[in-house]
Amino acid sequence: MIGARLEDPDDFDAWRDMARASVARGIPPEEIAWSEGEDSADLFSLAEHTAPRSSGLPEASSVPVRASRAFLSLATSVFMHSDPSRLDLLYRTLWRLQKHPRLIEDTTDADVANLRRLAQHVRRDIHKMRAFVRFRRVDDDTGDERYIAWFEPEHRIELANASFFIERFTNQHWSILTPRLSLHWDGTELVRGPAATRAQAPAADAAEDLWRGYYRSIFNPARLKTKAMIKEMPRRYWHNLPEARDIADLIAGAQKRETSMIAQGTELLAEEPPVDLGALAEGIARCRRCQIGCNGTAAVPGEGSPGARLMIVGEQPGDNEEMAGRPFVGPAGEVLNAHLAAAGIDRQDAYVTNAVKHFKFTARGKQRLHQNPTAREIDTCRWWLDKERALVHPRIVLALGASAVRGLTGRTPSIGRERGRLLSLPDGVPFLLTAHPSYLLRLDGAAREREEANFASDLAALASHLRDPATRDAHSA
Amino acid sequence: MQKTSILGRLEILADAAKYDASCASSGSVERNSRNGRGVGSTSGGMGICHAYAPDGRCISLLKLLLTNHCIFDCHYCVNRKSSNVERARFTPEEVVDLTLSFYRRNYIEGLFLSSGIVRSPDHTMEQIVRVARTLREVHDFRGYIHLKTIPEADPEIVAEAGIWADRVSINVELPTAASLARLAPDKNAPRIEGAMGGLHSRIVDARDARRKYRSAPRFAPAGQSTQMIVGADGTSDTQIIDKASRLYGRFGLRRVYYSAFSPIPDASAVLPLQRPPLMREHRLYQSDWLTRFYGFAPHEVSEAADANGMLPLDIDPKLAWALKFRDRFPIDLNRAPREAMLRVPGLGVKAVDALLGARRHRSIRLDDLARVTNSLRKLRPFVVTSDWRPVAMLDLADLRARLAPKPRQMELFG
């Protein structure tokens, strides 16, 4: 067995000379072991190997070594492949070419098929490097701008790709840093530098925000073809592509966005007010008139009998309510239930709903933290609350918190000044304002006791109005 | 509220441009910046996709509208006058800066610029041309430029687009004049085709002139293309294929793009709300390939369609055609000419050429076939090799069912 070591794995010409010399000496493929780099322990070094008549090697024959153009073209690509066994494959094919000069045409031959497959990998890697190198701009001390990229190719393609970048960015100073080597272009000369690390490349570039914005916007959420994307842009490239940071969110949002687009279209066609509470609930579920409606949560319709005398209006569903699809089932609901029971009001007899029908939140890890709806969002949702009130036809309304009043009247009240008194909605229906039960939950100690007492007294006032025949008749008059 | 930040407007104007399917940066002449002042190169043959979006589409060019304000009211278009999408506009200089800034960082191959119609078609076309002219003249930009031209504009201004751009395009939008009249009341089919004809003759003239004089100016060296919306009206696949083949023939188009109608925000009530199956668009592209690379005549592709003129969605048109014309098979892969081999379902151009090379050295067996194609199962009934002959398979009544892909769960987003 003869060892053949290639010192520089980028030096195709050196390999070709060694391979030709070995074929000329009649060394069959199974007698030669190829290796590369400096750490291999071979029987013969390159110098020994190419030296004539050394170490008992067979002498070169006078017959010229032949290699077809098709082979050389495949070989230059395959040579760049990272697979160490490529050198054996190349040599074996060169050896066989001496007897079958047109071997490369036989694409079904196992060696040729292998060569073609490896060449294909290399060509693809070359192409992907041209596509996925992302320069970041830095201004150096002299005020010159320089474009620097960090890239991790799969094969040894950096030098083969240099001319592409030179021809494209001739008048721009750039560097491409890779784990194997670095390339620097100053406008006239290409310099090959040592291996680099990612940390040597700039960490950011302001233009990337624009590019990511473009990437997000050019994506059409009506057509999701993630597999096609991954086939052409494999995940292993993602960590060096600024736009790839947005992929997960785009996929997650896509179906939601399409549903919302279709729902918006439906709404244009059907502006008819809902005929009953069922239609109202369907309409609410489809509604995308504000941001909250588009956040992907399920709508929570009101609950209770259509003929209820009392309507209780809260602010918006919370985490528990959104999951249950029912209003006031979480901690605030428990506070409300307890106080209603204490005041002698049966929740079963009331119709319970919210000013806003979707849950507005900010995500904090796995938690969804309640966020107040804006006045505009409440006003948008008021259309539904009005329709709901028209269908339920309550004699009296209990508004829990300022948002509820905003939803009922279009103005934001002062709870401290207006609570506990009987007030009138624009259409004359009496309503009573108190704090939202979740407010009680945020207090403790003396403050909690004081507010619990205020809340209880407001509900007691409500209970007495409910018993009052005057209130009972006020609306039907 | 007018968004004034570049990012805000970029988001609006890129979003508005995404319904144009074309993103190709291929087929132009080879250029580089070696002897220039600026940046840019084109490879001639293959374009480069610098990124892929989760919709599976290639992002090769910065695809933008100069503005999405529009005085036209085309129902299928998100930017129509009566739509209440957010509006924005870029100045030509802003587009030039964005293009260069993206290009220098290797995000893109170049620019694809279109626009809503503001003030007048002439004014709009002038603005579009100005972007391309500034890129080429002031910045010596040598990357790819695709300009969408406006058929209603003065032909002289439209022609200037071809001087600066690699490719020009005019969308025919809908396959029939009747659909165009109904869905795009401000557009007119003869006018669109007239403008395409005008560009075609300039492209041909410039090519002829270059043959005689090497210094003759180029005109849209990557030719012209067009786009048709599929599924917004009742046109059948056969009608679409027929229309496409006439466009290829009359105007020497490089590509006809198909865009499956997408439900757009704030859609007009005249339109369907659901999108057609994406597979339909895919089948149309396959039929396009059959006529361009596989030697099928348009009427032959149409023969693969059903009685309503629709291509089957579950199998590709080449297989559908082969199942219909079983008497043309099996094809002997060791003897048949290239044209006959190209008709075999599951055999692509590359596989056919590989087999032609291989059979000079040996006779083709099934094993050899397996090395050049992945669709052996689909192929077997249609081919003869030295160790295989599909005895009675072609006569099986359930052959289609055997070859069609197994039904699977509905596409999640279908």
Side-chain angles (χ1 to χ4, degrees), chain A residues 92 116 135 184 259 265 281 285 295 311 384 387 472:
Chain A
R92 186 165 62 242
R116 287 165 63 101
F135 287 113
H184 308 280
T259 320
N295 69 5
M311 184 175 196
W384 293 113
K387 301 290 170 279
R472 188 175 302 173

Side-chain angles (χ1 to χ4, degrees), chain A residues 102-110 113 116 120 127-137 145 147 163-172 185 188 205-230 232-233 241-243 246-247 250-251 254-255 257-258 261-262 264-266 268-269, chain B residues 6-7 10-12 14-15 17-19 31-43 46-57 59 61-64 98 101-109 259-260 262-269 273-275 278 281-282 350 354-355 357-358 360-362 364 368-369 371-372 408 411-413:
Chain A
R102 303 184 70 177
L103 175 66
I104 301 301
E105 284 174 15
D106 186 1
T107 50
T108 55
D109 176 85
R116 287 165 63 101
Q120 169 70 24
H127 187 75
K128 292 302 178 193
M129 177 173 172
R130 294 176 181 182
F132 298 148
V133 157
R134 295 285 181 267
F135 287 113
R136 285 175 167 157
R137 180 181 148 173
E145 55 190 57
Y147 291 81
S163 65
F164 170 84
F165 289 98
I166 292 172
E167 296 194 339
R168 174 159 291 197
F169 303 110
T170 313
N171 300 303
Q172 169 171 320
W185 174 256
T188 48
D205 183 329
E208 283 178 6
D209 288 340
L210 290 174
W211 171 239
R212 289 174 61 186
Y214 176 70
Y215 182 77
R216 289 191 301 267
S217 309
I218 204 72
F219 163 58
N220 184 350
R223 31 193 307 162
L224 203 55
K225 287 188 182 172
T226 320
K227 253 198 242 158
M229 169 186 67
I230 292 175
E232 295 300 337
M233 196 167 79
L241 295 171
E243 66 272 24
D246 294 294
I247 291 174
L250 290 177
I251 293 173
Q255 203 189 0
R257 284 167 67 184
E258 185 179 10
M261 282 197 284
I262 293 172
Q264 277 179 356
T266 320
L268 282 178
L269 301 175
Chain B
I6 295 276
L7 176 61
L10 175 64
E11 284 174 339
I12 293 171
D15 187 84
K18 72 180 161 209
Y19 301 97
R31 283 193 301 262
N32 65 56
S33 291
R34 279 274 189 194
N35 56 356
R37 295 172 285 121
V39 290
S41 62
T42 48
S43 66
M46 215 174 12
I48 298 176
C49 294
H50 284 272
Y52 288 82
D55 53 19
R57 292 207 284 200
I59 300 177
L61 304 172
L62 171 61
K63 192 155 47 169
L64 276 186
L98 259 179
S101 163
F102 280 12
Y103 197 93
R104 287 179 173 283
R105 288 163 176 82
N106 203 40
Y107 300 161
I108 52 169
E109 286 295 288
S259 172
S262 300
I264 47 178
D266 198 25
S268 155
L273 281 166
Q274 296 289 350
R275 60 186 165 86
L278 279 183
E281 182 190 292
H282 183 60
K350 269 189 197 155
L355 290 174
R360 273 187 236 131
H361 296 266
R362 62 175 79 200
I364 306 292
D368 302 321
L369 199 50
R371 245 176 245 133
V372 297
R408 43 183 193 127
E411 206 186 330
L412 201 52
F413 305 108

Side-chain angles (χ1 to χ4, degrees), chain A residues 45-294:
Chain A
S45 72
L46 169 68
E48 284 169 317
H49 188 181
T50 47
R53 296 160 203 249
S54 74
S55 318
L57 285 166
E59 281 187 37
S61 72
S62 54
V63 182
V65 178
R66 307 173 64 96
S68 66
R69 189 171 302 195
F71 170 75
L72 279 177
S73 135
L74 265 182
T76 42
S77 291
V78 172
F79 184 75
M80 291 182 244
H81 203 283
S82 56
D83 183 349
S85 72
R86 76 200 186 284
L87 296 178
D88 294 320
L89 173 64
L90 283 170
Y91 186 73
R92 186 165 62 242
T93 314
L94 180 64
W95 178 264
R96 293 179 61 202
L97 271 175
Q98 307 313 309
K99 275 209 174 125
H100 309 282
R102 303 184 70 177
L103 175 66
I104 301 301
E105 284 174 15
D106 186 1
T107 50
T108 55
D109 176 85
D111 281 342
V112 176
N114 248 336
L115 281 177
R116 287 165 63 101
R117 189 174 51 86
L118 297 187
Q120 169 70 24
H121 293 168
V122 168
R123 275 199 304 272
R124 181 175 157 94
D125 203 34
I126 287 177
H127 187 75
K128 292 302 178 193
M129 177 173 172
R130 294 176 181 182
F132 298 148
V133 157
R134 295 285 181 267
F135 287 113
R136 285 175 167 157
R137 180 181 148 173
V138 286
D139 297 319
D140 66 20
D141 307 335
T142 59
D144 283 344
E145 55 190 57
R146 183 160 198 95
Y147 291 81
I148 302 174
W150 165 252
F151 191 74
E152 296 163 84
E154 220 172 334
H155 305 290
R156 298 179 178 89
I157 54 161
E158 299 92 335
L159 293 166
N161 248 344
S163 65
F164 170 84
F165 289 98
I166 292 172
E167 296 194 339
R168 174 159 291 197
F169 303 110
T170 313
N171 300 303
Q172 169 171 320
H173 296 184
W174 54 261
S175 300
I176 298 175
L177 313 180
T178 79
R180 255 177 20 95
L181 53 91
S182 48
L183 299 173
H184 308 280
W185 174 256
D186 65 357
T188 48
E189 200 188 359
L190 183 76
V191 176
R192 176 177 168 173
T197 62
R198 179 202 299 267
Q200 288 170 275
D205 183 329
E208 283 178 6
D209 288 340
L210 290 174
W211 171 239
R212 289 174 61 186
Y214 176 70
Y215 182 77
R216 289 191 301 267
S217 309
I218 204 72
F219 163 58
N220 184 350
R223 31 193 307 162
L224 203 55
K225 287 188 182 172
T226 320
K227 253 198 242 158
M229 169 186 67
I230 292 175
K231 182 165 170 264
E232 295 300 337
M233 196 167 79
R235 286 180 201 274
R236 64 174 214 84
Y237 294 108
W238 289 14
H239 66 294
N240 290 326
L241 295 171
E243 66 272 24
R245 272 172 266 166
D246 294 294
I247 291 174
D249 285 348
L250 290 177
I251 293 173
Q255 203 189 0
K256 262 183 230 164
R257 284 167 67 184
E258 185 179 10
T259 320
S260 108
M261 282 197 284
I262 293 172
Q264 277 179 356
T266 320
E267 194 186 276
L268 282 178
L269 301 175
E271 277 287 1
E272 293 289 302
V275 290
D276 56 26
L277 289 174
L280 183 107
E282 282 170 25
I284 289 168
R286 273 202 314 270
C287 179
R288 302 288 182 267
R289 292 184 202 183
C290 77
Q291 288 289 317
I292 317 178
C294 302

Side-chain angles (χ1 to χ4, degrees), chain B residues 142-378:
Chain B
R142 301 192 180 180
Y144 193 90
I145 298 180
H146 178 156
L147 297 182
K148 187 121 279 186
T149 58
I150 299 167
E152 293 76 15
D154 182 333
E156 285 309 308
I157 312 175
V158 173
E160 203 194 332
I163 295 173
W164 309 115
D166 290 278
R167 174 168 287 180
V168 286
S169 63
I170 298 173
N171 286 356
V172 294
E173 310 290 13
L174 293 156
T176 66
S179 301
L180 196 70
R182 194 169 68 88
L183 296 176
D186 300 297
K187 297 199 179 191
N188 145 324
R191 176 111 213 194
I192 291 175
E193 300 201 350
M196 289 170 103
L199 284 173
H200 179 50
S201 50
R202 282 183 195 260
I203 292 170
V204 171
D205 290 350
R207 211 169 289 151
D208 288 347
R210 294 260 325 165
R211 269 189 213 119
K212 291 184 201 126
Y213 313 102
R214 280 207 56 206
S215 58
R218 293 189 188 276
F219 188 92
Q224 64 169 329
S225 63
T226 192
Q227 169 169 311
M228 257 189 272
I229 298 164
V230 176
D233 63 353
T235 319
S236 70
D237 290 345
T238 323
Q239 283 172 294
I240 291 173
I241 293 166
D242 181 53
K243 173 77 179 186
S245 81
R246 274 187 288 131
L247 291 173
Y248 277 122
R250 278 175 65 198
F251 305 122
L253 294 184
R254 285 294 183 87
R255 279 296 296 276
V256 174
Y257 288 94
Y258 299 110
S259 172
F261 168 73
S262 300
I264 47 178
D266 198 25
S268 155
V270 188
L271 289 173
L273 281 166
Q274 296 289 350
R275 60 186 165 86
L278 279 183
M279 190 49 84
R280 184 175 174 201
E281 182 190 292
H282 183 60
R283 297 295 181 224
L284 282 169
Y285 275 124
Q286 287 179 321
S287 75
D288 196 59
W289 250 244
L290 290 185
T291 53
R292 291 168 62 213
F293 304 115
Y294 289 81
F296 281 75
H299 71 267
E300 290 181 304
V301 181
S302 296
E303 283 162 0
D306 65 15
N308 299 319
M310 301 301 278
L311 293 170
L313 291 176
D314 58 339
I315 57 173
D316 66 78
K318 202 173 164 194
L319 177 57
W321 186 85
L323 286 169
K324 223 165 178 173
F325 297 95
R326 297 184 192 187
D327 55 317
R328 318 269 182 104
F329 297 93
I331 302 286
D332 185 344
L333 295 182
N334 282 304
R335 286 189 185 77
R338 188 169 185 273
E339 310 81 73
M341 290 166 77
L342 282 172
R343 299 247 161 173
V344 176
L347 270 193
V349 176
K350 269 189 197 155
V352 167
D353 290 340
L355 290 174
L356 287 170
R359 77 185 187 186
R360 273 187 236 131
H361 296 266
R362 62 175 79 200
S363 77
I364 306 292
R365 304 163 58 88
L366 272 189
D367 285 352
D368 302 321
L369 199 50
R371 245 176 245 133
V372 297
T373 171
N374 291 323
S375 30
L376 202 58
R377 195 179 66 90
K378 188 157 92 179

Side-chain angles (χ1 to χ4, degrees), chain A residues 256 285 288 292-299 322 358-361 368:
Chain A
K256 262 183 230 164
R288 302 288 182 267
I292 317 178
C294 302
N295 69 5
T297 58
E322 195 266 335
H358 281 89
F359 174 34
K360 183 174 180 180
F361 65 92
R368 304 191 292 178

